[in-house]
Amino acid sequence: MKFGRGDAYLLLTVIIWGNTFPTAKYVLGVIPPNVYASTRYLLAAVTLMLVLAWRDGLRLPRRQDLLPLIGFGLLGITLMQLLWTNALSLTAASKGAILVAVSPIWAMLISTLRGQRPSIPAWAGILISFGGVFLVINNSITAITVGGGSLLGDLLFLTVAFCWACYSVFAPPYLARLGALYLSAWSMLFGAIALSPAMLFGIADIDWSVVTPLHWAGFLFTAIFAGALGYLFWYEGIARLGVARSVVYSYLIPVFALLSAVSFLGEHVSAIQLAGAAIVIGGLALTRISTTKT
């Protein structure tokens, strides 16, 4: 298995997104979910459009590409981010991380229905990684300890995972033709515009006196790095490796979320959680080796 540029893009993305869960949870303590989602992605869209203008110039989408770009924006930004931020406000961040981590299973099921048959070792790697993710979050091999949050929040996170799987599975043909930056920038702009009215639901309730510089720093991190650059790097990785070898990287997000909580919040990591992290990486390697580019 050769670790290439596509792997590097995906690894960087999951490190960023792993840190997003605790950071966003902190910001949501002072900013309502709908306001946070809409303003965050408006800034992310502007950032990507500026990068696109700097690198390639601003080319308007062609007529045949307009509807797909709008569709990706509505699915991956408008719908998914509304669900994600509201789910995170209702459910524990650690629990949300494991629920979102089922997206590779959704992606494999969707790919199978579309006639793409992953190998048995690839499926085994995905299931092994999921077991490792659960072990990391559950922190026990004798009892179910994952708790916190509401059933509605859990269901919203499972829907987020499905949306993200669709986003990853259907993007590759457009990535090949349009490029990761162009697709990311325009779809995010359309999605952010559609999402922007959501800021009206809650902006009047914000107590600006409790919003600290650390909250603003968290907001900027989740907007520019997790929002703009995260989507761009994810698309770059998929373009190079294909869906099957890319989506399994999602399993590393809860691992990095846990490491982030340890580093910045002082949480303890047990031997069971370290073993779970090793299982995640092992399953990732198995899937990565046993799949070919889709």
Side-chain angles (χ1 to χ4, degrees):
M1 178 184 67
K2 182 180 179 181
F3 187 92
R5 183 174 295 183
D7 297 283
Y9 277 124
L10 294 170
L11 183 58
L12 181 57
T13 303
V14 298
I15 292 173
I16 292 172
W17 284 347
N19 283 274
T20 299
F21 275 86
T23 305
K25 188 73 174 179
Y26 176 71
V27 176
L28 285 169
V30 296
I31 299 178
N34 293 335
V35 178
Y36 175 58
S38 55
T39 54
R40 172 190 174 196
Y41 275 93
L42 279 174
L43 178 56
V46 169
T47 301
L48 275 185
M49 292 303 293
L50 289 174
V51 174
L52 178 63
W54 172 62
R55 283 185 51 181
D56 302 327
L58 283 179
R59 295 176 289 110
L60 294 176
R62 293 180 297 180
R63 182 176 299 177
Q64 63 267 35
D65 297 326
L66 190 58
L67 285 179
L69 287 172
I70 292 174
F72 282 125
L74 293 176
L75 175 66
I77 304 300
T78 311
L79 176 61
M80 196 172 79
Q81 294 307 320
L82 276 177
L83 293 171
W84 190 87
T85 50
N86 280 280
L88 192 58
S89 70
L90 295 170
T91 295
S94 59
K95 195 174 183 183
I98 191 173
L99 293 171
V100 171
V102 304
S103 61
I105 296 177
W106 284 122
M108 284 296 195
L109 290 173
I110 296 169
S111 297
T112 300
L113 292 175
R114 298 180 71 216
Q116 301 171 14
R117 303 283 181 182
S119 65
I120 292 177
W123 275 109
I126 286 175
L127 294 176
I128 288 170
S129 289
F130 181 76
V133 168
F134 185 81
L135 205 57
V136 167
I137 304 301
N138 192 61
N139 194 22
S140 175
I141 57 176
T142 59
I144 302 298
T145 64
V146 176
S150 68
L151 177 60
L152 176 59
D154 297 345
L155 293 175
L156 289 178
F157 267 127
L158 288 174
T159 308
V160 168
F162 179 76
C163 290
W164 185 241
C166 292
Y167 198 58
S168 299
V169 168
F170 294 106
Y174 298 95
L175 283 170
R177 186 158 54 84
L178 299 175
L181 177 56
Y182 190 89
L183 178 62
S184 300
W186 279 105
S187 63
M188 186 169 291
L189 179 63
F190 290 132
I193 290 172
L195 184 59
S196 59
M199 74 175 66
L200 300 176
F201 299 92
I203 195 166
D205 301 326
I206 299 176
D207 181 0
W208 296 104
S209 65
V210 302
V211 182
T212 67
L214 196 57
H215 288 114
W216 285 116
F219 174 82
L220 292 174
F221 170 78
T222 57
I224 295 174
F225 287 92
L229 298 181
Y231 275 74
L232 175 59
F233 293 160
W234 183 260
Y235 268 150
E236 290 281 8
I238 289 179
R240 285 168 170 77
L241 299 183
V243 175
R245 290 190 290 177
S246 297
V247 295
V248 73
Y249 270 89
S250 300
Y251 282 135
L252 288 174
I253 294 175
V255 177
F256 286 112
L258 179 66
L259 294 175
S260 176
V262 170
S263 300
F264 299 108
L265 302 178
E267 295 185 4
H268 174 69
V269 179
S270 69
I272 291 175
Q273 289 173 312
L274 290 175
I279 291 172
V280 170
I281 295 171
L284 168 64
L286 176 59
T287 301
R288 180 70 175 80
I289 291 170
S290 61
T291 51
T292 57
K293 190 170 182 178
T294 55

